[in-house]
């Protein structure tokens, strides 16, 4: 979980090993470029605009249906229960 990744020294060690850098480097970069607040999954705004931009950029063939949008957002809703 996000909480574990930001609270556990073990998480720093694991990622440092994966990235082949020291835990100190991971801690510095995490704090500087990836603040925990930036990873919050509690609010998704302007979803219709995002979908339209994805269609215009050809990342989506067509806009998502209401059901597809709901399904896409369900994991976030489940996390916030």
């Amino acid at each position: 979980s996000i909480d574990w990744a930001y609270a556990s020294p073990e998480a720093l060690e694991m990622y440092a090993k994966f990235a082949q850098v020291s835990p100190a480097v991971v801690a510095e970069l995490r704090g500087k470029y990836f603040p925990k607040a930036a990873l919050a999954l509690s609010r998704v705004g302007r979803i219709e605009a995002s979908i339209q931009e994805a269609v215009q950029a050809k990342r989506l063939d067509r806009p998502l249906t209401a059901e597809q949008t709901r399904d896409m957002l369900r994991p976030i809703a489940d996390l916030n229960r």
Side-chain angles (χ1 to χ4, degrees), residues 7-78:
S8 171
E10 182 185 10
L12 286 176
E13 293 285 340
M14 290 173 66
Y15 195 80
K17 184 176 179 180
F18 165 77
Q20 299 179 354
V21 297
S22 73
V25 168
V26 173
E28 179 183 350
L29 293 176
R30 182 185 64 186
K32 187 173 183 178
Y33 296 107
F34 304 101
K36 184 177 176 184
L39 302 176
L41 301 175
S42 62
R43 183 175 184 279
V44 175
R46 301 190 64 234
I47 191 68
E48 297 301 327
S50 295
I51 292 170
Q52 192 59 34
E53 288 173 15
V55 171
Q56 290 172 353
K58 304 206 183 299
R59 293 188 306 266
L60 287 174
D61 294 330
R62 59 189 169 283
L64 299 178
T65 65
E67 182 179 5
Q68 289 171 321
T69 301
R70 232 181 354 265
D71 288 346
M72 177 182 66
L73 297 175
R74 184 168 290 123
I76 295 169
D78 290 348

